[in-house]
Amino acid sequence: MANSQPMKKTIRIYFVDFWNGFDPGDNFFINRLKIHYNVVLDEAHPELLFYSYNGIQHFRYDKSITVYFSGENDVPDFNLSDYAISFHPVQFEDRHLRLPLFVLYKCFPDLDKQKISSSHELLQRKFCAFVVSNSKGADRKREDFFHKLNEYKKVDSGGRYLNNTGRPVADKLEFIKGYKFVIAFENSAASGYTTEKLIEPLAVNSVPIYWGNPNVNKDFNSKSFVNAADFKSLDELVQEIIRLDNDDDAYLSMAQEHPFTESQKKSADWINDFDEFMDSIIHQEPENAIRRTRFGYARFYTRRYKLLFGMANLPGIRYLVRKLSYR
């Protein structure tokens, strides 16, 4: 007699207000959920709605359980969402999961692979790469450091911003793996906010020159990258890169370090944490799982948010808001 497999619970989900290019049918969230559940994409009546920062369509789904996700440096608003997934190291009952954006990138699993590049190959690469395509709203430290390091040796800028390679590169990972160093500055500094800027160089054995998350050493091995926070100024940081560039042993020691310490490998089980977080939501009765408050001041707060967001997206006002926002 054939072994009978238990029937998977069916859940209806959908995604709104995500960034351009986001595929509702193929992404980290739905692919993980499909392992444990029979997932149905239902735009009209989802039980579970994932939404992000790029709109207010989620307000149409009053009866859905809502989960906010953002890889940007904003803070989840629990007045508007039942649950949130973000990079923030905060605890709020059972309503928040810390899942940094870098976990969602395809190269993230590569960080656990043994580094096997030969010393000769590592040392024969070009000096330093820089790949940024959008500078709007970013901290000026990133641009300032690029120019300062460029005074020592040419830094090849392969993004749309400050491009000096002729055209933007088609494959960032393929581009940066040919360099000893990669400028890996975030657009801003916030606790817990570490993006692909750090993990992409680590995945291809380049040494990141990192600035951003002040607590980055909690998630990553501090010996595997240069942390700008360890230096009093950008000038001192430049001097450290010059030292490493001219000291093969010191450079190789850093380039061959594993991105995670042994304790970090054991403590950061991001994928299982996500699975458990979603299980706790899905296995509740819907009336218990919906946590956002719909009455009292919260009702006024939600209405005001929708009104202001809607006004801000009128063509003339949207243009003005963008001009003022990026000054």
Side-chain angles (χ1 to χ4, degrees):
M1 183 175 181
N3 292 329
S4 59
Q5 295 293 328
M7 292 288 290
K8 289 183 178 181
K9 179 181 175 67
T10 296
I11 55 169
R12 304 189 315 275
I13 72 172
Y14 202 64
F15 301 86
V16 296
D17 302 331
F18 276 77
W19 48 86
N20 292 334
F22 181 86
D23 185 351
D26 184 13
N27 57 73
F28 171 85
F29 308 103
I30 194 170
N31 292 336
R32 286 303 306 174
L33 288 172
K34 282 180 176 179
I35 296 173
H36 306 288
Y37 299 96
N38 178 33
V39 178
V40 177
L41 273 179
D42 185 347
E43 182 176 2
H45 303 289
E47 300 167 89
L48 187 64
L49 181 80
F50 291 87
Y51 76 97
S52 196
Y53 57 84
N54 200 31
I56 57 172
Q57 288 190 55
H58 58 280
F59 284 122
R60 295 165 41 207
Y61 297 88
D62 286 340
K63 296 181 180 179
S64 300
I65 302 165
T66 58
V67 181
Y68 177 75
F69 174 79
S70 179
E72 299 295 339
N73 60 338
D74 64 334
V75 179
D77 190 337
F78 290 97
N79 292 300
L80 305 175
S81 63
D82 298 312
Y83 302 90
I85 300 173
S86 78
F87 66 84
H88 285 283
V90 299
Q91 293 183 338
F92 184 47
E93 301 173 344
D94 62 346
R95 296 175 64 183
H96 181 263
L97 171 70
R98 180 172 185 247
L99 185 74
L101 180 65
F102 61 74
V103 179
L104 276 60
Y105 278 80
K106 291 182 179 180
C107 67
F108 178 68
D110 294 339
L111 299 187
D112 258 341
K113 296 178 180 177
Q114 182 67 35
K115 294 190 173 185
I116 57 174
S117 297
S118 71
S119 298
H120 177 75
E121 290 174 341
L122 294 176
L123 293 173
Q124 290 302 307
R125 296 176 297 178
K126 291 179 281 189
F127 172 54
C128 184
F130 177 66
V131 183
V132 171
S133 292
N134 184 9
S135 66
K136 292 181 178 179
D139 194 298
R140 286 286 304 228
K141 285 186 176 68
R142 183 162 63 185
E143 180 180 343
D144 291 345
F145 180 72
F146 167 80
H147 290 303
K148 286 179 179 292
L149 190 60
N150 208 44
E151 292 177 3
Y152 163 63
K153 279 185 182 179
K154 182 187 176 185
V155 177
D156 290 342
S157 179
R160 290 191 299 272
Y161 184 61
L162 298 175
N163 184 276
N164 60 14
T165 60
R167 62 173 62 91
V169 297
D171 186 330
K172 181 180 177 182
L173 288 177
E174 186 65 26
F175 176 68
I176 66 175
K177 77 177 185 181
Y179 292 84
K180 293 174 65 178
F181 300 95
V182 176
I183 297 177
F185 277 40
E186 307 287 3
N187 57 28
S188 58
S191 181
Y193 180 55
T194 307
T195 71
E196 80 287 354
K197 297 290 192 301
L198 180 63
I199 70 162
E200 288 177 337
L202 290 173
V204 296
N205 279 32
S206 293
V207 170
I209 308 168
Y210 184 77
W211 174 86
N213 176 9
N215 295 312
V216 65
N217 292 346
K218 291 183 178 181
D219 294 331
F220 293 91
N221 178 5
S222 61
K223 296 180 180 179
S224 67
F225 62 97
V226 181
N227 191 348
D230 295 337
F231 302 90
K232 295 179 180 179
S233 67
L234 294 181
D235 290 325
E236 284 194 7
L237 178 59
V238 169
Q239 290 305 309
E240 174 64 7
I241 303 308
I242 294 173
R243 182 187 75 82
L244 289 171
D245 188 40
N246 290 281
D247 185 335
D248 290 349
D249 290 337
Y251 173 79
L252 290 171
S253 177
M254 181 168 288
Q256 293 173 337
E257 279 282 341
H258 196 282
F260 305 112
T261 65
E262 288 302 317
S263 62
Q264 287 167 344
K265 290 179 188 178
K266 295 175 183 178
S267 63
D269 197 349
W270 304 106
I271 308 302
N272 285 342
D273 288 347
F274 172 79
D275 292 345
E276 292 177 4
F277 181 71
M278 296 311 305
D279 284 347
S280 71
I281 297 171
I282 293 168
H283 288 292
Q284 295 182 65
E285 292 298 324
E287 60 268 23
N288 296 327
I290 293 178
R291 305 296 183 83
R292 61 192 186 276
T293 304
R294 301 164 185 259
F295 303 101
Y297 181 79
R299 186 174 183 178
F300 167 74
Y301 180 93
T302 301
R303 287 180 173 179
R304 182 178 62 181
Y305 181 91
K306 287 192 283 187
L307 175 63
L308 292 175
F309 195 98
M311 290 178 60
N313 277 278
L314 293 172
I317 297 178
R318 181 170 64 239
Y319 173 78
L320 179 61
V321 168
R322 286 178 176 173
K323 294 291 285 185
L324 293 175
S325 297
Y326 293 132
R327 282 188 173 181

